[in-house]
Amino acid sequence: MCGRFTQHLSWEELQRLADLIGQPRNLQPRYNVAPTTMIEVIRPSPAGNELVPMRWGFAPSWWKKPLRELPATFNARAETIAEKPMFRSAFAKTRCIIPASGFYEWTGPKGAKTPHYFSASDGRPLAFAGLWDSCRDVESNARIESATIIVGPANDWMRPFHDRMPIILDWRDAKTWLTGDDPASLLRPAPEDALQEWVVSRRVNRSNEADDDPTLITPSAAAAS
């Protein structure tokens, strides 16, 4: 699973990694991104790759009910996206990359879970494989663009923390994922040395604006409890 992540990214670094087009933007740092909020997404366009805000929680083009009635679509399982009606069209036609600084997972018993933060071993942004689509919100009549993060089985390094993990792409495979003919070949666990981990404050268990600051990713010995 990937139910909470961070996006404290710079336009300049993403431009170098993904060859973005468009005017540079000052990107708001996010340290506690939760489902149904807005996230930054990289998608291809006729002119090149663009960075656009989208709702985190996938709504396919054919969705005709209120968005609040969607099932949990913030993640899509790598094993079934090619066949599942919710995702199969997007997998074939509208793939994206969700850049992330890191993500959270929890270990331990219910009611006393310990949050862990995971980021790239080399410190660069992570490239989560994703899908996006656009639908008409039946309540507001607004056009809504939305995205999901694809998750698959954990690698051996990740398995002590969780049996699932995001599909993390090598940035060199970005073009193949976004527009290539064989995206399924990239749906594999990250290398064993791709990530680093540390325990963080349980404040991350909350998801309001007061609990979205850099101290959330500070190792727990120095974090505010």
Side-chain angles (χ1 to χ4, degrees), residues 141-171:
N141 202 38
R143 178 62 61 179
I144 303 295
E145 293 184 330
S146 60
T148 185
I149 295 170
I150 300 173
V151 297
N155 61 22
D156 289 342
W157 182 89
M158 185 71 187
R159 201 164 290 121
F161 305 102
H162 203 283
D163 60 359
R164 310 284 294 175
M165 67 186 300
I167 297 295
I168 300 172
L169 304 169
D170 189 309
W171 284 102

Side-chain angles (χ1 to χ4, degrees), residues 198-213:
W198 57 87
V199 174
V200 294
S201 169
R202 290 181 179 173
R203 284 181 55 226
V204 76
N205 296 348
R206 305 189 289 266
S207 59
N208 57 52
E209 290 185 5
D211 296 292
D212 188 351
D213 63 71

Side-chain angles (χ1 to χ4, degrees), residues 14-34:
L14 292 181
Q15 199 283 328
R16 290 195 300 271
L17 292 169
D19 196 23
L20 297 180
I21 61 168
Q23 292 297 316
R25 292 165 46 206
N26 290 322
L27 303 178
Q28 177 186 353
R30 304 277 303 283
Y31 295 92
N32 197 2
V33 182

Side-chain angles (χ1 to χ4, degrees), residues 2-188:
C2 181
R4 208 73 67 82
F5 72 105
T6 64
Q7 284 189 323
H8 47 99
L9 307 162
S10 74
W11 170 275
E12 291 75 16
E13 187 163 28
L14 292 181
Q15 199 283 328
R16 290 195 300 271
L17 292 169
D19 196 23
L20 297 180
I21 61 168
Q23 292 297 316
R25 292 165 46 206
N26 290 322
L27 303 178
Q28 177 186 353
R30 304 277 303 283
Y31 295 92
N32 197 2
V33 182
T36 75
T37 63
M38 300 300 288
I39 60 174
E40 300 291 344
V41 175
I42 298 169
R43 69 178 178 190
S45 76
N49 294 334
E50 58 184 6
L51 185 71
V52 295
M54 293 189 188
R55 177 186 188 271
W56 184 25
F58 184 86
S61 60
W62 45 262
W63 188 257
K64 304 302 182 186
K65 299 178 182 179
L67 293 177
R68 64 177 178 274
E69 295 185 24
L70 274 167
T73 55
F74 56 90
N75 286 165
R77 294 177 67 91
E79 300 93 323
T80 58
I81 54 173
E83 295 84 27
K84 207 165 188 178
M86 181 69 72
F87 302 116
R88 64 189 178 196
S89 178
F91 180 59
K93 300 176 183 178
T94 52
R95 298 182 295 275
C96 65
I97 290 173
I98 299 170
S101 306
F103 64 98
Y104 301 97
E105 287 295 355
W106 285 259
T107 60
K110 186 176 181 179
K113 288 187 176 293
T114 299
H116 303 254
Y117 185 65
F118 300 85
S119 63
S121 297
D122 61 9
R124 295 200 303 171
L126 299 168
F128 293 160
L131 308 174
W132 75 275
D133 207 343
S134 175
C135 75
R136 183 71 64 181
D137 182 0
V138 297
E139 295 185 305
S140 68
N141 202 38
R143 178 62 61 179
I144 303 295
E145 293 184 330
S146 60
T148 185
I149 295 170
I150 300 173
V151 297
N155 61 22
D156 289 342
W157 182 89
M158 185 71 187
R159 201 164 290 121
F161 305 102
H162 203 283
D163 60 359
R164 310 284 294 175
M165 67 186 300
I167 297 295
I168 300 172
L169 304 169
D170 189 309
W171 284 102
R172 292 171 294 186
D173 293 325
K175 183 175 181 180
T176 299
W177 172 252
L178 293 173
T179 60
D181 295 330
D182 187 20
S185 66
L186 299 176
L187 297 177
R188 56 179 181 262

